[in-house]
Amino acid sequence: MKSASDFRTDAAPAILGVGNPGAGKTRLMFGFPVPGIVDCDMNLSSAARVLKGKEFYYGQPLIDDKGVALPEDQRWNAAMKLSKELMLDPRVKTICVDGLTALSQWGLAHCETELIKAGINVKKEYMAKYQSFISLMTNYITTLRLAKKTVFVTCHQTVDQNDLTKIWYYSLAIPGQLKDRLGGLFTDVWGVSTQIVGEDVKYFINTRPTNMHVALKTSYDLEPKIDVTRKNPEEIYKLLEPKLSIYNQPPVTTPTLPLAQYATPTKSP
């Protein structure tokens, strides 16, 4: 057992960046130190053009080494292999996933494949893959944080209307119950948004609850709304860095959890 004096309050942040397509999530991610990117959306071109010469490392789980598209149920394992490499690479300072919406679809397909291999009728017990998916994704995010590097994950959002109250609400664009719960695995959930002002478009980072995003939060002394209009990714990071306590310990030599073995077949109750 450890005492309070051993507890670190300057551990590396784990940030979930949420917003609509084109809001600036990938550019924000690109500003962090030496990103290692699990590129699920294949949408890095704009940020890379803005920051020519930026040191970053990436892999694209959608395609194989010859550039041929992988079947959807194989993309999860490809993403896990890449994630492990980024966790162990001493050059990488920030582990990035761009984006979680696509990765979740691959994870769901992976769960279904593993359940079928285990002899489970996924059409009859259709909830089984969603139960496996909860464990799959929860363990994945937890494992990324075990590398003790900064983690930055992007995700799209969806808007739905409550059938009873008729109130519109926002949630993560991922399957099942996790769309309202996954944010609890991160130190921070930031909303990235745009606002039209006359003929101009302004870009913002929101760190507190708004009526435009899922439940947002920050564990750092950040302003509720940060204007990043016309700032490149590194300029944005310079605004954030003084208030982010980033403590990067040397990477672990072996991931604590086997990244590619998360889908434990389970039957629904």
Side-chain angles (χ1 to χ4, degrees), residues 27 30 44-54 231-235:
R27 285 198 179 195
F30 227 75
L44 303 181
S45 297
S46 176
R49 283 196 299 267
V50 170
L51 283 182
K52 291 182 179 179
K54 170 80 176 186
K231 289 182 170 59
N232 69 37
E234 288 195 337
E235 291 172 334

Side-chain angles (χ1 to χ4, degrees), residues 111-251:
C111 289
E112 182 171 331
T113 298
E114 293 300 305
L115 290 166
I116 292 173
K117 288 180 181 177
I120 296 174
N121 187 332
V122 293
K123 291 185 178 180
K124 181 178 179 181
E125 302 191 48
Y126 66 95
M127 288 300 296
K129 67 177 180 179
Y130 290 97
Q131 292 172 341
S132 293
F133 174 70
I134 291 174
S135 175
L136 186 82
M137 188 58 68
T138 299
N139 288 339
Y140 175 61
I141 298 300
T142 301
T143 300
L144 290 183
R145 297 188 61 185
L146 291 177
K148 298 180 181 177
K149 301 180 181 183
T150 299
V151 173
F152 195 107
V153 177
T154 70
C155 188
H156 296 320
Q157 64 183 10
T158 59
V159 58
D160 298 291
Q161 188 176 43
N162 187 289
D163 293 334
L164 297 177
T165 64
K166 304 302 180 183
I167 295 175
W168 293 95
Y169 65 95
Y170 291 80
S171 57
L172 300 178
I174 61 176
Q177 300 176 3
L178 277 183
K179 64 183 180 180
D180 297 315
R181 295 163 42 188
L182 194 69
L185 299 179
F186 293 83
T187 64
D188 285 51
V189 182
W190 298 349
V192 184
S193 63
T194 59
Q195 181 180 341
I196 299 176
V197 181
E199 296 182 355
D200 195 14
V201 178
K202 289 187 170 293
Y203 293 81
F204 298 95
I205 299 171
N206 301 279
T207 66
R208 301 289 195 281
T210 71
N211 61 353
M212 290 293 294
H213 299 91
V214 296
L216 306 181
K217 63 178 182 177
T218 180
S219 57
Y220 303 96
D221 185 25
L222 295 172
E223 298 175 3
K225 191 172 185 178
I226 304 169
D227 189 341
V228 295
T229 306
R230 284 183 287 278
K231 289 182 170 59
N232 69 37
E234 288 195 337
E235 291 172 334
I236 296 172
Y237 182 72
K238 286 180 181 178
L239 284 178
L240 302 172
E241 195 275 336
K243 296 186 178 181
L244 296 177
S245 297
I246 299 178
Y247 176 78
N248 288 329
Q249 297 182 2

Side-chain angles (χ1 to χ4, degrees), residues 10 12 65 85 96 123 147 232:
D10 58 353
D65 295 338
E85 292 172 358
C96 302
K123 291 185 178 180
N232 69 37

